[in-house]
Amino acid sequence: MSDIEFGLDTFGGVTHDHSGAADTHPEVIANLVGDGVVADELGLDFFAVGEHHRPDFAVSAPELVLAAIAARTSSIRLGSAVTVLSSDDPVRVYERFATLDGISGGRAEIVAGRGSFIESFPLFGYDLKDYDVLFDEKLDLLSKLVRSQPVTWSGTTRASLTDQSVFPTTAAPMPVWVGVGGTPESVVRTARYGFGLFLAIIGGAPSRFKAYVDLFDRAQDQFGVPRAPVAVHSPGLVAETDEKARDLVYDGWLAFRTKLGAERGWGPVGPDEFEHEIERGSLYVGGPETVATKIAATLRTLKVNRFDLKYDQPVPHAVQRSSIELYGDKVVPLVKDMLAGG
């Protein structure tokens, strides 16, 4: 497991200062660009920025933010987490990421997904009743664009293409992942296209996703495609001690979980659920050794190729930046040592 990669993901969630006042969207974006630069300086492998279209998240155009990071970094790979492909145009997605690939010297990766929110559908004129066909057809077209041009394609969700080339070109094919929340159909579809599997494990025991990793392996064998990598994305925060980390995260976690629960009809939560997610679920909150031990256990169980910590917990940005530094300086080396020790 010596070749496992370690990354950071952010949705650009709006942060607050210590008085509780919300940071502006420009402040959040500027801080996020700085986070990417620090991640590169720490020697991390991957930095991903998600796409949302709602007031509690500042980033609606991840490629622009990633381009700003690319211009100030040299090594870290850069991608989305995720690009909401269902409500976008695969041609434009390809063009934007190919441009990012050129700016970054070949470091761009596409993580395509349906998205966990639906605001982009009415915003861009799509009907939710077409939810499945939109993603299926657009993923099919994207697969052709990144692998071989010119492209001939037809479907029901956009204009057909006949021997069409799309620019700019890239020096090598861009890696593509599919963000999956945990349905067997999504796992099999990802395998069929030969894309990487990007598992969003945001609640419950990570071990329950072992069945999906195994299914992905079997499906790739069945389709006769080369083995593609698997990544895990999970939320967390690192502080100097377990107690401090819990204290920093709880209020914001509860507020966001309560707000999201009200939108989606979930039941109320409280301290018991918070502790359960830290102790046995998918919330990586604690001091460096605690978080490293939990990440190492997840990697041993799932045998994946990359672990990404979604670091943008609802805390002041200074706390997020400290968490990034502890993750890169202490947690990742500890995990590597633990895995090397068996």
Side-chain angles (χ1 to χ4, degrees), residues 142-269:
L142 182 64
S143 72
K144 292 177 168 56
L145 291 165
V146 298
R147 289 191 168 122
S148 179
Q149 296 192 32
V151 169
T152 296
W153 179 91
S154 63
T156 63
T157 55
R158 74 171 317 280
S160 299
L161 301 176
T162 302
D163 292 330
Q164 179 70 55
S165 294
V166 180
F167 307 101
T169 58
T170 58
M174 286 182 291
V176 178
W177 307 70
V178 177
V180 174
T183 65
E185 295 80 10
S186 296
V187 172
V188 173
R189 179 197 295 112
T190 303
R192 185 171 71 247
Y193 285 111
F195 290 154
L197 181 68
F198 204 91
L199 291 170
I201 306 180
I202 59 174
S207 59
R208 67 193 177 94
F209 280 78
K210 181 66 165 62
Y212 294 114
V213 177
D214 293 342
L215 174 61
F216 188 57
D217 287 343
R218 294 195 306 272
Q220 289 177 104
D221 290 341
Q222 180 180 344
F223 293 126
V225 298
R227 286 294 174 93
V230 181
V232 166
H233 147 114
S234 289
L237 182 130
V238 191
E240 289 81 1
T241 66
D242 291 354
E243 182 179 10
K244 183 176 181 180
R246 281 170 157 85
D247 289 344
L248 286 166
V249 171
Y250 178 70
D251 287 343
W253 174 89
L254 179 63
F256 182 74
R257 176 60 178 77
T258 300
K259 177 182 178 181
L260 193 60
E263 292 178 7
R264 301 186 176 184
W266 298 343
V269 294

Side-chain angles (χ1 to χ4, degrees), residues 9 198-204 206 232-237 281-284 298 307-311 313:
D9 296 347
F198 204 91
L199 291 170
I201 306 180
I202 59 174
V232 166
H233 147 114
S234 289
L237 182 130
S282 296
L283 190 56
Y284 294 73
T298 296
F307 180 90
D308 283 0
L309 183 74
K310 180 184 175 294
Y311 73 87
Q313 299 307 302

Side-chain angles (χ1 to χ4, degrees), residues 36-61:
V37 174
V38 170
D40 184 62
E41 293 170 348
L42 290 166
L44 295 173
D45 299 296
F46 186 62
F47 191 85
V49 180
E51 172 194 348
H52 292 81
H53 302 269
R54 46 187 286 143
D56 41 359
F57 297 103
V59 179
S60 58

Side-chain angles (χ1 to χ4, degrees), residues 50-82:
E51 172 194 348
H52 292 81
H53 302 269
R54 46 187 286 143
D56 41 359
F57 297 103
V59 179
S60 58
E63 304 90 342
L64 291 177
V65 178
L66 294 168
I69 297 171
R72 295 176 55 188
T73 56
S74 59
S75 300
I76 197 164
R77 298 191 63 80
L78 303 165
S80 51
V82 298

